């Protein structure tokens, strides 16, 4: 309490409504597999892969946080209406400078359905 | 990943250093047992009970969040140095207006030791 | 742009609607006149003195920031509904540890009416 | 108080140290001149154009906020060390969905030198 909802591969989920529920609430990390030590490395976190989330005043994605292991790197906060009050994929691109290998994980917060955690993404750093 | 560290009663912990580590990183919720529906209700979240946490630039408590069940109510962010760069108990008082019974829980973030979760506190609302 | 709206003494304002508009959007700093160096010092920031602000999903106070001169000390963020979706005075109490005299000022953000700045408050520190 | 420092064209500034000071603290908005109503529109805010800012624990860029006129759209917060504790250009890309023309402006906060405001950028929306 609060529950940290974790992404489940929706291909393993039968009910269409549940696939939609899980996918639209899950942050997905998009980045290269390899980074260069000391160079800026773009990490995009996008909500939902196949399904989009409302941007209603009483139901929206209000934040996305990016962690490296236990360490918070950056957090974005969104105001309701920033997606035009239409369904969409809230998306932010951070640029981090790695000093060693990265174990990225993202958290997102939906104002109705709480905290959601992405699958982790390991990035090799040369 | 990231791990949500949960408070453990330090009376059950033997090593002094571990008691200190757990206590100083744990948010504690202080409030009345009962609230009145529609009236402001003060909820104080204080870091540590018996042990205090550094306020160094590279090691400090940077946020405290207050949830009601899965729902975020409010969050406070602190800049390093707000406690004078001395060890202390970071503390914030929120005022929420309950519409039904509360199941409060707090999260805190230490810039070196990650996310920590308080014991939950149930508040009856009349 | 964005405009930083500053508090104006509402006794100098004639129209009732304007008094209400200014007062309910203004953060007011409540604290003692004197603080002790190295000791926690409670600073309460409360929205509105005589008039209260809505807590609607599309119109609420979403943050209060506390500065010492140019330096941010702490910031509280509030989710719509934390005041029960009723009109009220959003209020937060921070505890800062001064190392020298304080020149406190607060900013608040209303999701419909932007940024508002309090009157400054000087605190002597012994 | 707090002062909102505004960007000044550094070509009009003589002293090299002052050019550096102004440039590295100023957020610059990078985006297309035209957006399409209802479509995601990428807005990058990058600190500094010609000069880079430290990422030290006691001196770093801790947030970038993006406004449309008086309205906050989104805010990114950064932890010290996210740029590897080396000088760099803190950068974030938001994606907003416009419903009408945009008057973008960004604020950034340096933990030593306070709030800085970008030049505004007008975006036509078709």
């Amino acid at each position: 309490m609060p529950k940290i909802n974790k992404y489940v591969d929706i291909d393993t989920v039968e009910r269409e409504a549940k696939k939609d529920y899980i996918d639209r609430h899950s942050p997905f990390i998009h980045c290269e597999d390899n980074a260069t030590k000391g160079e800026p490395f773009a990490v995009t976190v996008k909500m939902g892969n196949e399904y989009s989330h409302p941007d209603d005043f009483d139901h929206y994605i209000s934040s996305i946080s990016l962690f490296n292991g236990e360490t918070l790197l950056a957090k974005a906060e969104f105001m309701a209406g920033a997606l035009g009050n239409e369904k969409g994929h809230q998306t932010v691109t951070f640029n981090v400078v790695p000093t060693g290998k990265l174990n990225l994980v993202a958290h997102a917060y939906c104002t109705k359905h709480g905290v959601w955690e992405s699958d982790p993404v390991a990035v090799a750093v040369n």
Side-chain angles (χ1 to χ4, degrees), chain A:
Chain A
M1 190 178 91
K3 186 180 170 193
I4 310 294
N5 299 282
K6 297 202 181 181
Y7 177 68
V8 177
D9 182 348
I10 63 171
D11 289 345
T12 67
V13 173
E14 280 198 21
R15 279 200 307 126
E16 175 62 18
K18 197 170 176 190
K19 280 180 195 277
D20 185 343
Y21 179 73
I22 292 172
D23 185 86
R24 73 174 183 265
H25 280 110
S26 294
F28 293 88
I29 293 174
H30 302 265
C31 63
E32 300 294 323
D33 296 335
N34 294 276
T36 303
K37 193 172 166 176
E39 295 292 318
F41 179 69
V43 180
T44 294
V45 187
K46 183 177 174 181
M47 299 301 298
N49 216 349
E50 302 179 30
Y51 299 85
S52 56
H53 191 281
D55 179 41
D56 297 334
F57 287 111
D58 63 346
H59 186 199
Y60 66 103
I61 302 299
S62 69
S63 71
I64 292 175
S65 304
L66 181 66
F67 289 85
N68 178 21
E70 315 298 309
T71 305
L72 182 65
L73 296 174
K75 180 177 186 175
E77 293 167 6
F78 311 104
M79 304 306 286
L83 297 184
N85 291 129
E86 299 290 340
K87 291 179 83 172
H89 301 274
Q90 189 54 271
T91 307
V92 65
T93 302
F94 298 115
N95 296 273
V96 301
V97 178
T99 53
K101 70 176 176 171
L102 297 170
N103 291 296
L104 300 173
V105 66
H107 275 193
Y109 182 73
C110 164
T111 59
K112 267 201 179 157
H113 301 105
V115 182
W116 291 74
E117 182 171 318
S118 74
D119 275 347
V121 170
V123 178
V125 176
N126 308 309

